[in-house]
Coordinates of all heavy atoms in Angstrom, one line a residue:
M193 N 253.5 108.0 -73.4 CA 252.8 109.3 -73.4 C 251.4 109.0 -72.9 O 250.7 108.1 -73.5 CB 252.8 110.0 -74.7 CG 252.1 111.3 -74.7 SD 252.0 112.1 -76.4 CE 253.7 112.2 -76.8
S194 N 250.9 109.7 -71.9 CA 249.5 109.5 -71.5 C 248.5 110.2 -72.4 O 248.9 111.0 -73.2 CB 249.3 110.0 -70.1 OG 249.2 111.4 -70.1
F195 N 247.3 109.7 -72.3 CA 246.2 110.3 -73.1 C 246.2 111.8 -73.0 O 246.1 112.5 -74.1 CB 244.9 109.7 -72.7 CG 243.7 110.4 -73.3 CD1 243.4 110.2 -74.6 CD2 242.9 111.2 -72.6 CE1 242.3 110.9 -75.2 CE2 241.8 111.9 -73.1 CZ 241.5 111.7 -74.5
L196 N 246.2 112.4 -71.8 CA 246.1 113.8 -71.7 C 247.3 114.6 -72.2 O 247.2 115.8 -72.4 CB 245.7 114.2 -70.2 CG 244.4 113.7 -69.8 CD1 244.2 114.1 -68.3 CD2 243.3 114.3 -70.6
Q197 N 248.4 113.9 -72.4 CA 249.5 114.6 -73.0 C 249.6 114.4 -74.5 O 250.6 114.9 -75.1 CB 250.8 114.0 -72.3 CG 250.9 114.3 -70.9 CD 252.0 113.6 -70.2 OE1 252.4 112.5 -70.6 NE2 252.5 114.2 -69.1
S198 N 248.7 113.7 -75.1 CA 248.8 113.4 -76.5 C 248.5 114.7 -77.4 O 247.8 115.6 -76.9 CB 247.8 112.3 -76.9 OG 246.5 112.8 -76.9
K199 N 249.0 114.6 -78.6 CA 248.8 115.7 -79.5 C 247.4 115.9 -79.8 O 246.8 117.0 -79.9 CB 249.6 115.5 -80.8 CG 249.5 116.6 -81.8 CD 250.4 116.5 -82.9 CE 250.2 117.5 -84.0 NZ 249.2 118.5 -83.9
G200 N 246.7 114.7 -79.9 CA 245.2 114.8 -80.2 C 244.4 115.6 -79.2 O 243.5 116.3 -79.5
W201 N 244.8 115.4 -77.9 CA 244.1 116.1 -76.9 C 244.4 117.6 -76.9 O 243.5 118.4 -76.8 CB 244.4 115.5 -75.5 CG 243.6 116.2 -74.4 CD1 244.1 117.0 -73.4 CD2 242.2 116.1 -74.1 NE1 243.1 117.5 -72.6 CE2 241.9 116.9 -73.0 CE3 241.2 115.4 -74.8 CZ2 240.6 117.0 -72.5 CZ3 239.9 115.5 -74.3 CH2 239.6 116.4 -73.1
D202 N 245.6 117.9 -77.1 CA 246.0 119.3 -77.3 C 245.3 119.9 -78.5 O 244.9 121.1 -78.4 CB 247.6 119.4 -77.5 CG 248.3 119.2 -76.2 OD1 247.7 119.3 -75.1 OD2 249.5 119.0 -76.2
D203 N 245.2 119.2 -79.6 CA 244.5 119.7 -80.7 C 243.0 119.9 -80.4 O 242.5 120.9 -80.9 CB 244.7 118.7 -81.9 CG 246.1 118.7 -82.5 OD1 246.9 119.5 -82.2 OD2 246.3 117.7 -83.3
F204 N 242.4 119.0 -79.7 CA 241.0 119.1 -79.3 C 240.8 120.4 -78.5 O 239.9 121.2 -78.8 CB 240.6 117.9 -78.5 CG 239.2 118.1 -77.9 CD1 238.0 118.2 -78.7 CD2 239.1 118.3 -76.5 CE1 236.8 118.4 -78.1 CE2 237.9 118.5 -75.9 CZ 236.7 118.5 -76.7
L205 N 241.7 120.6 -77.5 CA 241.6 121.8 -76.7 C 241.8 123.1 -77.5 O 241.0 124.1 -77.3 CB 242.6 121.8 -75.5 CG 242.4 120.7 -74.5 CD1 243.5 120.7 -73.5 CD2 241.1 120.8 -73.8
A206 N 242.7 123.1 -78.4 CA 242.9 124.2 -79.3 C 241.7 124.5 -80.2 O 241.3 125.7 -80.4 CB 244.2 124.0 -80.2
L207 N 241.1 123.5 -80.7 CA 239.9 123.6 -81.5 C 238.8 124.3 -80.7 O 238.1 125.2 -81.1 CB 239.4 122.3 -82.1 CG 240.2 121.7 -83.2 CD1 239.8 120.2 -83.5 CD2 240.0 122.5 -84.5
C208 N 238.6 123.8 -79.5 CA 237.5 124.3 -78.6 C 237.8 125.8 -78.3 O 236.9 126.6 -78.3 CB 237.4 123.5 -77.3 SG 236.8 121.9 -77.5
Q209 N 239.1 126.1 -77.9 CA 239.4 127.4 -77.6 C 239.3 128.4 -78.8 O 239.0 129.5 -78.7 CB 240.9 127.5 -77.1 CG 241.3 128.8 -76.5 CD 242.7 128.7 -76.0 OE1 243.5 127.9 -76.4 NE2 243.0 129.5 -75.0
G210 N 239.6 127.9 -80.0 CA 239.5 128.7 -81.2 C 238.1 128.9 -81.8 O 238.0 129.7 -82.7
A211 N 237.2 128.2 -81.3 CA 235.8 128.3 -81.8 C 235.3 129.7 -81.6 O 235.4 130.3 -80.5 CB 234.8 127.3 -81.1
E212 N 234.9 130.4 -82.7 CA 234.6 131.8 -82.7 C 233.2 132.0 -82.1 O 232.8 133.2 -81.8 CB 234.7 132.4 -84.1 CG 236.2 132.4 -84.5 CD 236.3 132.9 -85.9 OE1 235.3 133.4 -86.5 OE2 237.4 132.9 -86.5
S213 N 232.4 131.0 -82.1 CA 231.0 131.2 -81.6 C 230.5 129.9 -80.9 O 231.1 128.8 -81.2 CB 230.1 131.6 -82.7 OG 229.9 130.5 -83.6
K214 N 229.4 130.0 -80.2 CA 228.8 128.8 -79.6 C 228.3 127.9 -80.7 O 228.4 126.6 -80.6 CB 227.7 129.2 -78.7 CG 227.1 128.1 -77.9 CD 226.0 128.7 -76.9 CE 225.4 127.6 -76.1 NZ 224.4 128.1 -75.1
A215 N 227.8 128.4 -81.8 CA 227.4 127.6 -82.9 C 228.5 126.8 -83.5 O 228.3 125.6 -83.8 CB 226.7 128.5 -84.0
I216 N 229.6 127.4 -83.7 CA 230.8 126.6 -84.2 C 231.2 125.5 -83.3 O 231.5 124.4 -83.7 CB 232.0 127.6 -84.6 CG1 231.6 128.5 -85.8 CG2 233.2 126.8 -84.9 CD1 231.4 127.8 -87.1
L217 N 231.3 125.9 -82.0 CA 231.7 124.9 -81.0 C 230.7 123.7 -80.9 O 231.0 122.6 -80.9 CB 231.8 125.6 -79.6 CG 232.2 124.7 -78.5 CD1 233.6 124.0 -78.8 CD2 232.3 125.5 -77.2
N218 N 229.4 124.1 -81.0 CA 228.4 123.0 -81.1 C 228.5 122.1 -82.3 O 228.4 120.9 -82.2 CB 227.0 123.6 -81.0 CG 225.9 122.6 -80.8 OD1 225.9 121.8 -79.9 ND2 224.9 122.6 -81.7
E219 N 228.8 122.7 -83.5 CA 229.0 122.0 -84.7 C 230.2 121.1 -84.6 O 230.2 119.9 -85.0 CB 229.1 122.9 -85.9 CG 229.1 122.2 -87.2 CD 229.1 123.2 -88.4 OE1 229.0 124.4 -88.2 OE2 229.3 122.7 -89.5
L220 N 231.3 121.6 -83.9 CA 232.5 120.8 -83.7 C 232.2 119.6 -82.8 O 232.6 118.4 -83.1 CB 233.6 121.7 -83.0 CG 234.8 120.9 -82.6 CD1 235.6 120.4 -83.8 CD2 235.7 121.9 -81.8
C221 N 231.4 119.8 -81.8 CA 231.0 118.7 -80.9 C 230.1 117.7 -81.6 O 230.3 116.5 -81.3 CB 230.4 119.2 -79.6 SG 231.5 120.1 -78.5
D222 N 229.3 118.2 -82.5 CA 228.4 117.3 -83.2 C 229.3 116.4 -84.1 O 229.0 115.2 -84.3 CB 227.5 118.0 -84.1 CG 226.3 118.6 -83.4 OD1 226.1 118.2 -82.2 OD2 225.6 119.5 -83.9
L223 N 230.4 116.9 -84.6 CA 231.3 116.2 -85.5 C 232.1 115.1 -84.7 O 232.3 114.0 -85.1 CB 232.3 117.1 -86.2 CG 233.4 116.5 -87.0 CD1 232.8 115.8 -88.3 CD2 234.4 117.6 -87.4
L224 N 232.6 115.5 -83.5 CA 233.5 114.7 -82.8 C 232.9 113.7 -81.8 O 233.5 112.7 -81.5 CB 234.5 115.6 -82.0 CG 235.4 116.5 -82.8 CD1 236.2 117.4 -81.9 CD2 236.3 115.7 -83.8
F225 N 231.7 114.0 -81.3 CA 231.0 113.2 -80.3 C 229.7 112.6 -80.8 O 229.0 113.2 -81.5 CB 230.7 114.0 -79.0 CG 231.9 114.6 -78.4 CD1 232.1 116.0 -78.3 CD2 232.9 113.9 -77.8 CE1 233.1 116.6 -77.7 CE2 234.0 114.4 -77.2 CZ 234.1 115.8 -77.2
T226 N 229.5 111.4 -80.3 CA 228.2 110.7 -80.6 C 227.1 111.4 -79.7 O 227.5 112.1 -78.7 CB 228.2 109.2 -80.3 OG1 228.4 109.1 -78.9 CG2 229.3 108.5 -81.1
L227 N 225.9 111.2 -80.0 CA 224.8 111.7 -79.2 C 224.9 111.2 -77.7 O 224.8 112.0 -76.8 CB 223.4 111.3 -79.7 CG 222.2 111.8 -78.9 CD1 222.2 113.3 -78.8 CD2 220.9 111.2 -79.6
E228 N 225.3 110.0 -77.6 CA 225.4 109.4 -76.2 C 226.6 110.1 -75.5 O 226.5 110.4 -74.3 CB 225.6 107.9 -76.3 CG 225.7 107.3 -74.9 CD 225.9 105.8 -75.0 OE1 225.7 105.1 -76.0 OE2 226.4 105.2 -73.9
E229 N 227.7 110.3 -76.2 CA 228.8 111.0 -75.5 C 228.5 112.4 -75.1 O 228.8 112.8 -74.0 CB 230.0 111.0 -76.5 CG 230.6 109.6 -76.7 CD 231.6 109.5 -77.9 OE1 231.5 110.3 -78.8 OE2 232.5 108.7 -77.8
K230 N 227.7 113.1 -75.9 CA 227.3 114.5 -75.6 C 226.4 114.4 -74.4 O 226.4 115.3 -73.5 CB 226.7 115.2 -76.8 CG 227.7 115.5 -77.9 CD 227.1 116.4 -79.0 CE 225.9 115.8 -79.6 NZ 225.3 116.6 -80.7
Q231 N 225.5 113.5 -74.4 CA 224.5 113.3 -73.2 C 225.3 113.0 -71.9 O 225.0 113.6 -70.9 CB 223.5 112.2 -73.5 CG 222.5 112.6 -74.6 CD 221.6 111.4 -75.0 OE1 222.0 110.2 -74.9 NE2 220.5 111.7 -75.5
Q232 N 226.3 112.2 -72.0 CA 227.1 111.9 -70.8 C 227.9 113.1 -70.4 O 228.0 113.3 -69.1 CB 228.1 110.7 -71.1 CG 227.3 109.4 -71.2 CD 226.5 109.0 -70.0 OE1 227.1 109.1 -68.9 NE2 225.3 108.6 -70.2
L233 N 228.5 113.9 -71.3 CA 229.2 115.1 -70.9 C 228.2 116.1 -70.3 O 228.6 116.7 -69.3 CB 229.8 115.7 -72.1 CG 231.1 115.1 -72.6 CD1 231.5 115.6 -74.0 CD2 232.2 115.3 -71.7
A234 N 227.0 116.2 -70.8 CA 226.1 117.2 -70.3 C 225.7 116.8 -68.9 O 225.5 117.6 -68.0 CB 224.8 117.3 -71.2
L235 N 225.5 115.5 -68.7 CA 225.1 115.0 -67.4 C 226.2 115.2 -66.4 O 226.0 115.6 -65.2 CB 224.8 113.5 -67.5 CG 224.1 112.8 -66.3 CD1 222.8 113.5 -65.9 CD2 223.9 111.3 -66.6
R236 N 227.5 115.0 -66.8 CA 228.6 115.3 -65.9 C 228.7 116.7 -65.5 O 228.9 117.0 -64.3 CB 229.9 114.8 -66.6 CG 231.2 115.0 -65.8 CD 231.2 114.0 -64.6 NE 232.5 114.1 -63.9 CZ 233.2 113.1 -63.7 NH1 232.8 111.8 -63.9 NH2 234.4 113.2 -63.1
V237 N 228.4 117.6 -66.4 CA 228.4 119.1 -66.1 C 227.3 119.3 -65.1 O 227.5 120.0 -64.1 CB 228.1 119.9 -67.4 CG1 227.9 121.4 -67.0 CG2 229.4 119.8 -68.3
E238 N 226.1 118.8 -65.3 CA 225.0 119.0 -64.3 C 225.4 118.4 -62.9 O 225.1 119.1 -61.9 CB 223.7 118.3 -64.8 CG 223.1 119.0 -66.0 CD 221.8 118.3 -66.4 OE1 220.9 118.1 -65.5 OE2 221.6 117.9 -67.5
L239 N 226.0 117.3 -62.9 CA 226.4 116.7 -61.7 C 227.4 117.5 -60.9 O 227.3 117.8 -59.7 CB 227.0 115.3 -61.9 CG 227.8 114.6 -60.8 CD1 226.9 114.5 -59.6 CD2 228.5 113.3 -61.2
V240 N 228.5 118.0 -61.7 CA 229.5 118.8 -61.0 C 228.9 120.1 -60.5 O 229.2 120.5 -59.4 CB 230.6 119.1 -62.0 CG1 231.5 120.2 -61.6 CG2 231.4 117.8 -62.3
K241 N 228.0 120.7 -61.2 CA 227.3 121.9 -60.8 C 226.5 121.7 -59.5 O 226.6 122.5 -58.6 CB 226.5 122.6 -61.9 CG 227.3 123.3 -62.9 CD 226.4 124.0 -63.9 CE 227.1 125.0 -64.8 NZ 226.3 125.9 -65.5
E242 N 225.8 120.6 -59.5 CA 225.0 120.2 -58.3 C 225.9 120.0 -57.1 O 225.6 120.5 -56.0 CB 224.2 119.0 -58.5 CG 223.0 119.2 -59.4 CD 221.9 120.0 -58.8 OE1 221.9 120.3 -57.6 OE2 220.9 120.2 -59.6
L243 N 227.0 119.4 -57.3 CA 228.0 119.1 -56.2 C 228.6 120.4 -55.7 O 228.7 120.6 -54.5 CB 229.1 118.2 -56.6 CG 228.7 116.7 -56.8 CD1 229.8 115.9 -57.5 CD2 228.3 116.1 -55.5
L244 N 228.9 121.3 -56.6 CA 229.5 122.6 -56.2 C 228.5 123.5 -55.5 O 228.9 124.2 -54.6 CB 230.0 123.3 -57.4 CG 231.3 122.8 -58.0 CD1 231.7 123.5 -59.3 CD2 232.5 122.9 -57.0
H245 N 227.2 123.4 -55.9 CA 226.2 124.3 -55.2 C 226.0 123.8 -53.8 O 225.6 124.5 -52.9 CB 224.9 124.3 -56.0 CG 225.0 125.2 -57.2 ND1 224.8 124.8 -58.5 CD2 225.4 126.5 -57.3 CE1 225.0 125.8 -59.3 NE2 225.4 126.9 -58.6
G246 N 226.1 122.4 -53.6 CA 226.0 121.9 -52.3 C 224.6 122.0 -51.6 O 224.6 121.9 -50.4
E247 N 223.6 122.1 -52.4 CA 222.3 122.3 -51.8 C 221.5 121.0 -51.7 O 220.5 120.9 -51.0 CB 221.5 123.3 -52.7 CG 222.0 124.7 -52.7 CD 221.4 125.6 -53.7 OE1 220.5 125.1 -54.4 OE2 221.8 126.8 -53.7
K248 N 222.0 119.9 -52.3 CA 221.3 118.6 -52.3 C 222.2 117.6 -51.8 O 223.4 117.6 -52.0 CB 220.8 118.3 -53.7 CG 219.8 119.2 -54.3 CD 219.5 118.7 -55.7 CE 218.5 119.7 -56.4 NZ 218.2 119.2 -57.8
T249 N 221.6 116.5 -51.2 CA 222.4 115.4 -50.8 C 222.7 114.5 -52.1 O 222.1 114.7 -53.1 CB 221.6 114.5 -49.9 OG1 220.5 113.9 -50.6 CG2 221.1 115.2 -48.6
Q250 N 223.6 113.6 -51.9 CA 224.0 112.8 -53.0 C 222.8 111.9 -53.5 O 222.6 111.7 -54.7 CB 225.2 111.9 -52.7 CG 226.5 112.6 -52.6 CD 227.7 111.7 -52.6 OE1 227.6 110.5 -52.5 NE2 228.9 112.4 -52.5
R251 N 222.0 111.5 -52.5 CA 220.8 110.7 -52.9 C 219.8 111.6 -53.7 O 219.2 111.1 -54.6 CB 220.1 110.2 -51.6 CG 220.9 109.1 -51.0 CD 220.1 108.2 -50.0 NE 220.9 107.3 -49.4 CZ 221.3 106.1 -49.9 NH1 221.1 105.8 -51.1 NH2 222.0 105.3 -49.2
E252 N 219.7 112.8 -53.3 CA 218.8 113.7 -54.1 C 219.3 113.9 -55.5 O 218.5 113.9 -56.5 CB 218.6 115.1 -53.3 CG 217.8 115.0 -52.1 CD 217.8 116.2 -51.2 OE1 218.9 116.9 -51.2 OE2 216.8 116.5 -50.6
I253 N 220.6 114.1 -55.6 CA 221.2 114.3 -56.9 C 221.0 113.1 -57.7 O 220.6 113.1 -58.9 CB 222.7 114.7 -56.8 CG1 222.9 116.0 -56.1 CG2 223.4 114.7 -58.2 CD1 224.3 116.4 -55.7
S254 N 221.2 111.9 -57.1 CA 221.0 110.6 -57.8 C 219.6 110.5 -58.4 O 219.4 110.1 -59.5 CB 221.3 109.5 -56.8 OG 221.0 108.2 -57.4
R255 N 218.7 110.8 -57.5 CA 217.3 110.8 -57.9 C 216.9 111.8 -59.1 O 216.4 111.4 -60.1 CB 216.3 111.0 -56.7 CG 214.9 110.9 -57.1 CD 214.0 111.5 -56.0 NE 214.2 112.9 -55.9 CZ 214.5 113.6 -54.8 NH1 214.5 113.0 -53.6 NH2 214.7 114.9 -54.8
D256 N 217.4 113.0 -58.9 CA 217.0 114.1 -59.8 C 217.7 113.9 -61.2 O 217.1 114.2 -62.2 CB 217.4 115.4 -59.2 CG 216.6 115.8 -58.0 OD1 215.6 115.2 -57.7 OD2 216.9 116.8 -57.3
L257 N 218.9 113.4 -61.2 CA 219.6 113.2 -62.4 C 219.6 111.8 -63.0 O 220.1 111.5 -64.1 CB 221.1 113.6 -62.3 CG 221.4 115.1 -61.9 CD1 222.9 115.4 -61.8 CD2 220.8 116.0 -63.0
N258 N 218.9 110.9 -62.2 CA 218.8 109.5 -62.6 C 220.2 108.9 -62.8 O 220.4 108.3 -63.9 CB 217.9 109.4 -63.7 CG 217.4 107.9 -63.9 OD1 217.3 107.2 -63.0 ND2 217.2 107.5 -65.2
I259 N 221.1 109.1 -61.9 CA 222.4 108.5 -62.0 C 222.8 107.7 -60.7 O 222.1 108.0 -59.7 CB 223.5 109.5 -62.3 CG1 223.6 110.6 -61.3 CG2 223.3 110.1 -63.7 CD1 224.7 111.6 -61.5
S260 N 223.7 106.9 -60.8 CA 224.1 106.1 -59.6 C 224.9 106.9 -58.6 O 225.6 107.9 -59.0 CB 224.9 104.9 -60.1 OG 226.2 105.3 -60.5
I261 N 224.9 106.4 -57.4 CA 225.7 107.0 -56.3 C 227.2 106.9 -56.7 O 228.0 107.8 -56.4 CB 225.4 106.4 -55.0 CG1 224.0 106.7 -54.5 CG2 226.4 106.8 -53.9 CD1 223.7 108.1 -54.2
A262 N 227.6 105.8 -57.3 CA 229.0 105.6 -57.8 C 229.4 106.7 -58.7 O 230.5 107.2 -58.6 CB 229.1 104.3 -58.4
K263 N 228.6 107.1 -59.6 CA 228.9 108.2 -60.6 C 229.1 109.5 -59.8 O 230.0 110.4 -60.1 CB 227.9 108.4 -61.6 CG 228.0 107.5 -62.8 CD 227.1 107.8 -63.9 CE 227.4 106.8 -65.1 NZ 226.6 107.2 -66.2
I264 N 228.2 109.7 -58.8 CA 228.3 110.9 -58.0 C 229.6 110.9 -57.2 O 230.3 112.0 -57.1 CB 227.1 111.1 -57.1 CG1 225.8 111.2 -57.9 CG2 227.3 112.2 -56.1 CD1 224.5 111.1 -57.2
T265 N 230.0 109.8 -56.6 CA 231.2 109.7 -55.9 C 232.4 110.0 -56.8 O 233.4 110.7 -56.4 CB 231.4 108.3 -55.3 OG1 230.2 108.1 -54.4 CG2 232.7 108.1 -54.5
R266 N 232.4 109.4 -58.0 CA 233.5 109.7 -58.9 C 233.6 111.2 -59.2 O 234.7 111.8 -59.3 CB 233.4 108.9 -60.2 CG 233.7 107.4 -60.0 CD 233.8 106.7 -61.3 NE 232.6 106.6 -62.1 CZ 231.6 105.7 -61.9 NH1 231.8 104.7 -61.0 NH2 230.6 105.7 -62.7
G267 N 232.5 111.9 -59.4 CA 232.4 113.3 -59.7 C 233.0 114.1 -58.5 O 233.7 115.0 -58.6
S268 N 232.5 113.6 -57.3 CA 233.0 114.3 -56.1 C 234.5 114.2 -55.9 O 235.2 115.1 -55.5 CB 232.2 113.7 -54.9 OG 232.6 114.3 -53.7
N269 N 235.0 113.0 -56.1 CA 236.4 112.7 -56.0 C 237.2 113.6 -57.0 O 238.3 114.1 -56.7 CB 236.8 111.3 -56.2 CG 236.4 110.4 -55.0 OD1 236.2 111.0 -53.9 ND2 236.2 109.1 -55.2
A270 N 236.7 113.7 -58.2 CA 237.3 114.5 -59.3 C 237.4 116.0 -58.8 O 238.4 116.7 -59.1 CB 236.6 114.4 -60.6
L271 N 236.3 116.5 -58.2 CA 236.3 117.9 -57.7 C 237.4 118.1 -56.6 O 237.8 119.3 -56.5 CB 234.9 118.2 -57.2 CG 233.9 118.7 -58.2 CD1 232.5 118.9 -57.5 CD2 234.3 120.0 -58.8
K272 N 237.8 117.1 -55.9 CA 238.8 117.3 -54.9 C 240.1 117.7 -55.5 O 240.9 118.4 -54.8 CB 238.9 116.0 -54.1 CG 237.7 115.7 -53.2 CD 237.9 114.4 -52.5 CE 236.7 114.0 -51.7 NZ 236.7 112.7 -51.1
T273 N 240.3 117.4 -56.7 CA 241.6 117.8 -57.4 C 241.5 119.1 -58.2 O 242.5 119.5 -58.7 CB 242.1 116.6 -58.3 OG1 241.2 116.5 -59.4 CG2 242.2 115.3 -57.5
A274 N 240.3 119.6 -58.3 CA 240.1 120.8 -59.1 C 240.5 122.0 -58.3 O 240.4 122.1 -57.1 CB 238.6 120.9 -59.5
S275 N 241.1 123.0 -59.0 CA 241.5 124.2 -58.3 C 240.3 125.1 -57.9 O 239.2 124.9 -58.5 CB 242.4 125.1 -59.3 OG 241.6 125.5 -60.4
D276 N 240.5 125.9 -56.9 CA 239.4 126.8 -56.5 C 239.0 127.7 -57.7 O 237.8 128.1 -57.8 CB 239.9 127.7 -55.3 CG 240.0 126.9 -54.1 OD1 239.4 125.8 -54.0 OD2 240.7 127.3 -53.2
Q277 N 240.0 128.1 -58.5 CA 239.7 129.0 -59.7 C 238.7 128.2 -60.6 O 237.8 128.8 -61.1 CB 241.0 129.3 -60.4 CG 240.8 130.2 -61.6 CD 242.1 130.5 -62.3 OE1 243.2 130.1 -61.9 NE2 242.1 131.4 -63.3
L278 N 239.0 127.0 -60.9 CA 238.1 126.2 -61.8 C 236.7 126.0 -61.2 O 235.7 126.2 -61.9 CB 238.7 124.8 -62.1 CG 237.9 123.9 -63.0 CD1 237.6 124.6 -64.3 CD2 238.5 122.6 -63.1
K279 N 236.7 125.8 -59.9 CA 235.4 125.6 -59.2 C 234.6 126.9 -59.3 O 233.4 126.8 -59.6 CB 235.6 125.2 -57.8 CG 236.1 123.8 -57.6 CD 236.4 123.5 -56.1 CE 237.1 122.2 -55.9 NZ 237.5 122.0 -54.6
M280 N 235.2 128.0 -59.1 CA 234.5 129.3 -59.2 C 234.0 129.5 -60.7 O 232.9 130.0 -60.9 CB 235.4 130.5 -58.8 CG 235.6 130.5 -57.3 SD 234.0 130.6 -56.3 CE 233.4 132.2 -56.9
F281 N 234.9 129.2 -61.6 CA 234.5 129.3 -63.0 C 233.3 128.5 -63.4 O 232.3 129.1 -64.0 CB 235.7 128.9 -63.9 CG 235.3 128.8 -65.4 CD1 235.2 129.9 -66.2 CD2 235.2 127.5 -66.0 CE1 234.8 129.8 -67.5 CE2 234.8 127.4 -67.3 CZ 234.7 128.6 -68.1
I282 N 233.2 127.3 -62.9 CA 232.1 126.4 -63.2 C 230.8 127.0 -62.5 O 229.7 127.0 -63.0 CB 232.4 125.0 -62.7 CG1 233.5 124.4 -63.6 CG2 231.1 124.1 -62.8 CD1 234.0 123.1 -63.1
K283 N 231.0 127.4 -61.2 CA 229.8 127.9 -60.5 C 229.2 129.2 -61.1 O 228.0 129.3 -61.1 CB 230.3 128.3 -59.1 CG 230.3 127.2 -58.1 CD 230.7 127.8 -56.7 CE 230.7 126.8 -55.6 NZ 231.0 127.3 -54.3
N284 N 230.1 130.0 -61.8 CA 229.6 131.2 -62.4 C 229.1 131.1 -63.8 O 228.6 132.0 -64.4 CB 230.7 132.3 -62.3 CG 231.0 132.7 -60.9 OD1 230.2 132.7 -60.0 ND2 232.3 133.0 -60.6
C285 N 229.2 129.9 -64.4 CA 228.7 129.7 -65.7 C 227.3 129.3 -65.7 O 226.7 128.7 -64.9 CB 229.5 128.6 -66.4 SG 231.1 129.2 -67.1

């Protein structure tokens, strides 16, 4: 069984979906993630949004977010597999 098919991952998604408020979701993330993990997730969100907006080059994103070109490439490659619906959802958030 792969990681993404595990019961733990399904449970995590259910917990996130069931959070009744942003405060509860934030508290859940405080419980489950270290500060470094939350920072990395936040950075990944910023990276994906920058890539979707398409207004900056990868070098500009690298400089502005202080991340490597390799991380940007991984984010870009991940976006290639994302549905148009998900991309629009992220753009609109």
Side-chain angles (χ1 to χ4, degrees):
M193 180 182 305
S194 77
F195 168 73
L196 292 179
Q197 295 171 331
S198 73
K199 180 173 177 358
W201 183 250
D202 286 344
D203 289 348
F204 170 72
L205 294 177
L207 286 168
C208 290
Q209 188 176 28
E212 295 177 4
S213 67
K214 188 175 180 179
I216 292 294
L217 184 56
N218 190 54
E219 190 175 351
L220 174 65
C221 289
D222 285 344
L223 174 68
L224 298 176
F225 300 116
T226 66
L227 178 59
E228 183 179 343
E229 290 167 333
K230 291 190 302 183
Q231 290 169 336
Q232 290 301 311
L233 284 168
L235 191 58
R236 182 66 174 233
V237 169
E238 288 183 54
L239 167 60
V240 167
K241 284 186 167 191
E242 288 288 355
L243 289 170
L244 286 173
H245 286 121
E247 297 171 357
K248 296 180 183 178
T249 67
Q250 288 191 0
R251 290 201 184 280
E252 290 171 326
I253 295 169
S254 173
R255 181 196 64 228
D256 293 349
L257 297 179
N258 195 30
I259 58 175
S260 69
I261 295 293
K263 279 190 179 183
I264 296 169
T265 300
R266 287 191 294 273
S268 180
N269 287 339
L271 274 174
K272 291 176 185 175
T273 64
S275 67
D276 290 339
Q277 182 181 3
L278 177 60
K279 290 175 188 175
M280 287 303 297
F281 170 74
I282 294 169
K283 277 184 178 182
N284 293 327
C285 281

